Amino acid sequence: KISIIVPIYNTEKYLRDCINSVLSQQYEDYELLLINDGSTDSSERICHDYALRDSRVKVFNKSNGGQPEALNYGIERAMGDYLMFLDADDYWCDNNILSKLYQAAETYNLDLVRGECKEVNDRGEELFSYLEEKRTRSFAYQLMDSDLFIDKVVDRRYFMVLYLIRRASLGGLRYNVNRVFLQDAEFNLTLCSKDLKCMYVPEVFYSYRKHEGAITVKPHPQKLYDAFDFSRFCFELFDKVGSTKMRTFCVKEGINNLLFDLSVIAIECPWSDITKSYTKYDLYTLREEACRLLHKTSLKGKYQLCYMPLPFIILYYKLKNQLYKLANCRNLSNIDRC
């Protein structure tokens, strides 16, 4: 009934914890697809050891192409009615989560069921639980359309590893293999632009392990390009969706992301590099598109900042950052630093 896809690249240190957390599930009607993406450590051997012990474990070896490509590889080979994704350096901390998510999906004929996660350190000690955020708990167990779901439940936390997904609802949707950053965001937003039945189940089952080798914390020169390109993707999606709520969400998300990325440039880059970035990331066109779509919505407040010329937006964030630093100068010893 359920296909669990694990993309693997040189995660020998954590891989057994990951696989064991699936094999310890009380619900047993699943297949575990281990996609070895050209690992050079002992990950492949570990995968085959488990496959010899349990027929539900299926190992696929491929040349290294990156996580999005490995996920697509798994989607194409999945046989289950539902899909789940799991990163090889993370693990599930609830041995009954498959039963809970599957039961909800079958009972209410859902396309998407989302659980919850916590952050843990390298030793598995809890750092933070997202269940503590009250704004999502208020929507627990409600039957929602995808418009409301992505705005109020997902709320910019696009982690696809938290979902049980009806495979038929994907259609031809696959991960963008050209991205190194915000792959889940593009995938999730595209999926929720469809008319889907969704539910949030407030069960913490996913342990996201924060460590130095994790993909999400590695620096990459393409990250900023992908960040701006995600805003461009949101603006393009605006003209493709029919729902007024989803169209408004696309504008909000695109502008939120654009302004955040501009604030990063303003704070971290010298003026000379900032000026070059206008052309490098085609920011003039991106800002013009943001303004065009603002005219078609009723968004106010911070979104109106897009109407300012790019240099003024950058200056705004530079001054805001300086004022923030000054506000945190609480004694004489901090003044020189500020």
Side-chain angles (χ1 to χ4, degrees):
K1 290 293 183 180
I2 304 173
S3 297
I4 303 150
I5 301 170
V6 184
I8 299 165
Y9 180 71
N10 290 352
T11 51
E12 60 182 5
K13 180 178 179 182
Y14 308 107
L15 188 53
R16 288 185 177 85
D17 287 344
C18 173
I19 296 174
N20 287 336
S21 72
V22 176
L23 297 181
S24 63
Q25 289 293 308
Q26 296 180 21
Y27 181 90
E28 297 181 343
D29 190 7
Y30 62 82
E31 60 173 357
L32 178 58
L33 280 61
L34 304 178
I35 315 300
N36 178 39
D37 190 36
S39 295
T40 57
D41 63 0
S42 63
S43 293
E44 180 181 352
R45 180 180 56 78
I46 294 171
C47 291
H48 284 293
D49 286 346
Y50 278 95
L52 289 172
R53 286 184 258 160
D54 196 313
S55 61
R56 295 171 299 181
V57 179
K58 302 175 182 179
V59 182
F60 299 89
N61 294 306
K62 59 181 291 296
S63 58
N64 181 250
Q67 188 177 39
E69 185 180 295
L71 288 167
N72 290 342
Y73 190 96
I75 292 172
E76 295 291 345
R77 287 154 181 79
M79 301 296 291
D81 296 333
Y82 298 92
L83 299 178
M84 291 188 74
F85 304 126
L86 172 58
D87 289 343
D89 50 354
D90 300 333
Y91 61 93
W92 292 345
C93 54
D94 183 344
N95 293 342
N96 202 30
I97 193 58
L98 285 183
S99 296
K100 295 172 184 176
L101 299 182
Y102 177 75
Q103 184 177 4
E106 289 289 289
T107 301
Y108 299 99
N109 192 29
L110 301 173
D111 298 292
L112 293 177
V113 192
R114 178 180 172 113
E116 201 50 272
C117 68
K118 63 181 180 179
E119 294 179 0
V120 299
N121 61 21
D122 200 48
R123 299 181 299 277
E125 299 166 340
E126 182 173 327
L127 301 174
F128 174 76
S129 172
Y130 286 93
L131 193 60
E132 298 169 3
E133 299 185 359
K134 296 180 180 179
R135 66 179 184 273
T136 52
R137 281 190 294 178
S138 62
F139 293 94
Y141 301 110
Q142 293 184 29
L143 189 60
M144 289 176 277
D145 60 26
S146 44
D147 296 352
L148 180 64
F149 183 77
I150 198 163
D151 190 16
K152 301 301 182 182
V153 173
V154 177
D155 193 27
R156 309 194 81 193
R157 298 186 301 120
Y158 289 110
F159 321 131
M160 288 307 302
V161 291
L162 300 184
Y163 288 96
L164 177 74
I165 309 165
R166 187 178 297 274
R167 185 159 64 99
S169 68
L170 283 184
L173 177 61
R174 298 295 183 267
Y175 275 89
N176 184 345
V177 297
N178 296 317
R179 283 194 179 278
V180 298
F181 186 52
L182 294 174
Q183 303 102 321
D184 271 7
E186 180 177 324
F187 189 94
N188 200 334
L189 188 51
T190 305
L191 181 59
C192 286
S193 67
K194 303 180 180 184
D195 184 18
L196 304 179
K197 294 173 66 176
C198 313
M199 182 174 288
Y200 172 58
V201 176
E203 297 281 352
V204 176
F205 78 94
Y206 195 94
S207 295
Y208 163 56
R209 201 191 302 261
K210 301 202 74 171
H211 60 91
E212 292 183 357
I215 292 176
T216 51
V217 299
K218 289 181 179 178
H220 196 287
Q222 193 181 333
K223 272 193 172 184
L224 195 54
Y225 175 85
D226 281 354
F228 283 118
D229 190 61
F230 179 66
S231 291
R232 191 170 289 107
F233 162 79
C234 291
F235 297 154
E236 291 172 354
L237 192 61
F238 175 90
D239 294 318
K240 298 177 182 177
V241 296
S243 164
T244 301
K245 287 192 294 184
M246 182 58 75
R247 285 160 68 92
T248 301
F249 179 83
C250 288
V251 180
K252 284 171 55 180
E253 187 67 345
I255 293 179
N256 276 327
N257 192 73
L258 172 60
L259 293 177
F260 176 79
D261 296 335
L262 289 175
S263 72
V264 171
I265 287 180
I267 294 170
E268 296 185 359
C269 299
W271 273 108
S272 57
D273 290 343
I274 292 172
T275 304
K276 294 176 184 176
S277 71
Y278 296 159
T279 303
K280 181 178 181 180
Y281 303 114
D282 197 14
L283 298 185
Y284 290 112
T285 304
L286 193 56
R287 177 194 155 275
E288 288 174 4
E289 183 65 4
C291 293
R292 180 183 74 86
L293 297 180
L294 265 178
H295 282 299
K296 297 186 176 185
T297 68
S298 57
L299 295 174
K300 304 294 182 184
K302 65 178 180 179
Y303 304 103
Q304 302 289 311
L305 189 59
C306 282
Y307 287 127
M308 297 175 64
L310 279 172
F312 284 91
I313 299 176
I314 295 295
L315 181 60
Y316 166 80
Y317 281 116
K318 279 189 172 293
L319 292 174
K320 184 177 180 180
N321 184 55
Q322 291 301 315
L323 289 172
Y324 175 80
K325 287 182 177 180
L326 289 172
N328 282 278
C329 290
R330 301 184 184 280
N331 54 58
L332 291 176
S333 63
N334 286 333
I335 288 180
D336 289 340
R337 176 177 58 83
C338 291

